[in-house]
Amino acid sequence: MGDSHTWTAAPAAAEQARSVLAAAWSCAVTAEGGREEFVGAHTVGDDGRVLLHVPEDSALLAAAVCAPRGEPSAVLEFADVAPVPVRGRIRARLWLAGWFAVQDGHLAFRPTRVVLRRPSGAVVVDVDDFTAAAPDPLALAEARLLTHLADCHGDAVQRLTRLVEPDSLHGAVRVRPLAVDRHGLTLRIERLRDQGDVRLPFHAPADDVGQLTERVHVLLSQASAASCPRALQWQRTDGDG
């Protein structure tokens, strides 16, 4: 079983949904004409509307042109994939149900229902909240930041485990950075047969990369002052033997 934990200082569902939408590179569309997958084909407006750039021979575009009202219903699915290789890399899924309309030869999608599925379960996001929300300010930089942390600062990741409750580290074989947002950093703790996530909240929100660097340095200073988790020490000893 994975760890159960309280998501202290975590982004609201509407903000997380907008962050998934902003950072996603691909999407799957299910409509009357069937299901199609598109890569690098969508852009997002400030109000959460999705503009989908599809080929002229796309069945989806044909369905929109031929729809009696010119607005066929559809469901768009986006996956939030962890940039660092971990078990279970899908961190969340976002579904948008709504209507397509043809706009300048492209498809403009207006959502009427928003569902976000996280590890803790699915939540229906109020459409007005979704429209008003903004993506996390670190959403577009997250992949680069986490990859750099994992590839170049593994020692720092290990040091941060000193802030984790020892019970959560029992049997740990690997700890990787899973996610970061303006509110905190999440670590994925992998064991032989399962994994769990632990969130390390920042003392204050980080609205840009410079502030994020300061927040992480504060966490590292706190970790340096803490004792090394015994559970992780035992696992290292067993692995070294």
Side-chain angles (χ1 to χ4, degrees):
M1 297 292 292
D3 293 331
S4 61
H5 54 277
T6 301
W7 287 77
T8 305
E15 181 182 352
Q16 186 176 359
R18 290 297 300 270
S19 298
V20 172
L21 184 59
W25 181 243
S26 63
C27 70
V29 181
T30 302
E32 298 173 3
R35 180 182 173 91
E36 294 187 64
E37 297 195 11
F38 301 93
V39 177
H42 72 277
T43 55
V44 184
D46 291 340
D47 59 356
R49 284 187 297 176
V50 179
L51 187 63
L52 193 61
H53 308 272
V54 299
E56 292 183 358
D57 59 353
S58 168
L60 188 61
L61 182 59
V65 172
C66 299
R69 293 186 302 163
E71 293 187 343
S73 62
V75 175
L76 276 59
E77 179 182 348
F78 302 86
D80 176 25
V81 183
V84 175
V86 292
R87 298 176 189 164
R89 292 185 71 171
I90 303 297
R91 303 180 299 188
R93 291 189 183 276
L94 175 67
W95 287 275
L96 304 179
W99 303 89
F100 271 123
V102 179
Q103 177 179 312
D104 298 328
H106 303 297
L107 293 173
F109 181 81
R110 184 179 70 255
T112 57
R113 181 176 172 84
V114 180
V115 178
L116 177 68
R117 178 176 292 277
R118 300 177 286 193
S120 57
V123 57
V124 177
V125 181
D126 182 83
V127 174
D128 290 337
D129 291 343
F130 174 79
T131 299
D136 185 273
L138 302 175
L140 297 181
E142 184 195 26
R144 172 176 57 84
L145 294 168
L146 287 181
T147 301
H148 178 74
L149 180 60
D151 293 347
C152 303
H153 299 285
D155 57 335
V157 175
Q158 293 301 323
R159 198 191 321 168
L160 288 171
T161 61
R162 298 182 180 187
L163 301 176
V164 178
E165 291 293 332
D167 288 348
S168 296
L169 292 170
H170 183 71
V173 296
R174 189 172 71 160
V175 179
R176 303 281 275 172
L178 177 70
V180 69
D181 54 63
R182 66 193 299 261
H183 302 287
L185 173 69
T186 301
L187 302 179
R188 166 64 55 85
I189 300 170
E190 296 183 348
R191 308 180 188 87
L192 289 177
R193 294 182 178 85
D194 63 10
Q195 61 273 337
D197 302 335
V198 174
R199 187 170 178 84
L200 304 178
F202 299 142
H203 68 275
D207 292 327
D208 54 42
V209 175
Q211 291 183 2
L212 172 66
T213 300
E214 187 273 337
R215 306 300 189 263
V216 173
H217 283 165
V218 170
L219 289 179
L220 289 170
S221 296
Q222 294 171 348
S224 296
S227 60
C228 186
R230 296 177 61 193
L232 192 58
Q233 287 179 326
W234 292 337
Q235 187 60 45
R236 285 175 175 171
T237 301
D238 294 341
D240 292 343

